[in-house]
Each structure stands twice: as C-alpha cells, then as structure tokens.
Amino acid sequence: MHLLPTQEEVVRVLRETGALRDGHFEYPSGMHSNEYLQVPLAMRYYQHARTLSVGLSRLLRANTEIRAIIPELSIVAPATGGLPVAYGVCEALRARQVYWAEREDETRPMRFRQYLEQHPGEQVVLVDDILRSGNKLSQMKRLLESRGANVIGMAVVIYQPTPKTCDFGSLPLYYLAKLDASYYSDAAHCDLCEAGVPLEKVWV
Ligand SMILES: [Zn+2]
C-alpha cells in the first residue's frame, strides 16, 4: 500500500476487517441505513491503524499553515474512537501532544481530565475516526474555543456525510475516503423496510 492509501484501498481494509458491512441497520437515533461502519474494528490491527494514520498525517502535512506549526500542534480527539487515529497522526507528524475529551453519558457535557488546560492561542487539529453527523466534533470545537484554543483543521479516516451533518464552514477537513451510505429518517421512510430486508440494530 502507498504512503497515501487510495479510497479503494481504505474501503478494502474496512471490508476485510468487518468494519464496513452491507445490510439493513437501525441506528440509536432511529435512522435506518444500508451500511454499518465502525472504524475501530479496522484500527484494532496495528499495521492497518498505522497505514491509515500515516496517510492522514500526510494530508495534514501538505497544508502549509499546519506544517509550519507542527512542533506546537495539539492533536485532540472528541471521543475514544478517535484515539488510535490521534496517536498515529501525532507520531507520524511529531506534533506536540495528544489528548481527548470524555463524558460520563450522552446527557452530560464533554469535558477534559482534571488539570488538563489549554494555553491561550493553542493550535489544535481535531482528529477522529469518522465524521458522520459531526455533533461530537462540533461540541469539541466549541469547548476548545471557549477555553482559548484555536481549531485550525479536522482530520478523519472516513467522511460519511448525512443530511444532518453539521456545517463547519471554511475549516479545512481532511479524510482518506468518502463513503455515501443511504440514510432513511425512520422505518416508515425506509426502502429496505418496504422490501422486507431483515433489520439489525446497532449501537454507536
Ligand atoms: Zn429500514
């Protein structure tokens, strides 16, 4: 595989590792889809994780503004799914630090570990395994900016936009592959339900 994996190579890794599956799935939001995608299933294999992270780091390095500040750069993940990607990217770039946010449950706000503080003007690239709704990345961006940091880009392994994906304006977004799944707002509007395809519930 090349230093920058192609879309086809990324999809092949996802399929071979079971991270990407075809079928009929219901997400916790009630949305139905013809695809299941969980990048951590691919990231559990170190060589795949390394290939994907190094590829993403090369896209970031190609941005002259980001390349100029790599020694000062923070790589921040909005959730644990982004951690292997964040560490891989940080190692490949030789960036300054990696950290992440957590929350006790979905109803609680995101937060950092105690004593983890941003310094004013800290330069941050947000890294995650996937950008789908963008809700977590958007919350993470607001939280960091409220604490004085400056978010200068986002990098994800997979970009899978939905009709509800957040708008990040002109913030640069880097990804290795873009996957277009079919989404249906609920069972009543789902072609697969109408066709009688067996349904699997997934948690994400
Ligand atoms: Zn359905």
Side-chain angles (χ1 to χ4, degrees):
M1 205 177 280
H2 308 295
L3 285 171
L4 187 57
T6 63
Q7 162 111 7
E8 290 69 32
E9 286 168 333
V10 173
V11 169
R12 192 168 67 233
V13 164
L14 295 176
R15 288 203 184 280
E16 281 175 7
T17 56
L20 178 61
R21 297 158 190 264
D22 295 316
H24 179 199
F25 304 98
E26 182 179 290
Y27 284 84
S29 64
M31 242 177 2
H32 286 207
S33 177
N34 65 335
E35 272 185 359
Y36 169 88
L37 177 59
Q38 272 294 312
V39 182
L41 289 174
M43 298 301 285
R44 68 190 145 148
Y45 301 109
Y46 181 75
Q47 285 308 325
H48 288 321
R50 187 170 160 75
T51 299
L52 297 173
S53 308
V54 169
L56 211 47
S57 75
R58 293 180 72 86
L59 294 177
L60 287 164
R61 197 187 285 277
N63 177 313
T64 49
E65 186 197 354
I66 292 173
R67 188 168 64 231
I69 55 159
I70 282 173
E72 295 304 313
L73 194 62
S74 300
I75 307 293
V76 182
T80 51
L83 273 183
V85 191
Y87 272 97
V89 166
C90 188
E91 183 191 13
L93 286 180
R94 298 177 184 265
R96 178 166 180 254
Q97 60 177 348
V98 179
Y99 57 89
W100 60 95
E102 292 162 282
R103 51 186 171 187
E104 288 164 33
D105 62 61
E106 291 296 310
T107 63
R108 309 289 276 280
M110 274 183 178
R111 65 177 190 188
F112 300 108
R113 290 293 171 109
Q114 193 171 9
Y115 306 123
L116 200 165
E117 289 168 6
Q118 285 70 29
H119 62 82
E122 179 177 324
Q123 305 286 331
V124 172
V125 168
L126 297 178
V127 169
D128 207 354
D129 56 343
I130 184 165
L131 168 53
R132 193 179 275 130
S133 72
N135 288 337
K136 276 184 300 180
L137 284 162
S138 172
Q139 282 177 44
M140 182 85 268
K141 182 170 178 290
R142 280 200 302 275
L143 177 58
L144 285 162
E145 287 171 348
S146 74
R147 297 170 63 129
N150 186 21
V151 176
I152 58 170
M154 295 196 297
V156 296
V157 177
I158 304 295
Y159 178 40
Q160 190 179 52
T162 78
K164 294 178 181 169
T165 298
C166 301
D167 180 7
F168 289 93
S170 58
L171 188 67
L173 167 66
Y174 300 96
Y175 53 86
L176 293 179
K178 182 179 177 186
L179 297 181
D180 295 305
S182 295
Y183 286 99
Y184 309 99
S185 55
D186 54 45
H189 298 90
C190 177
D191 295 344
L192 300 166
C193 282
E194 197 176 315
V197 180
L199 180 68
E200 277 182 70
K201 287 195 185 231
V202 297
W203 64 88
V204 283

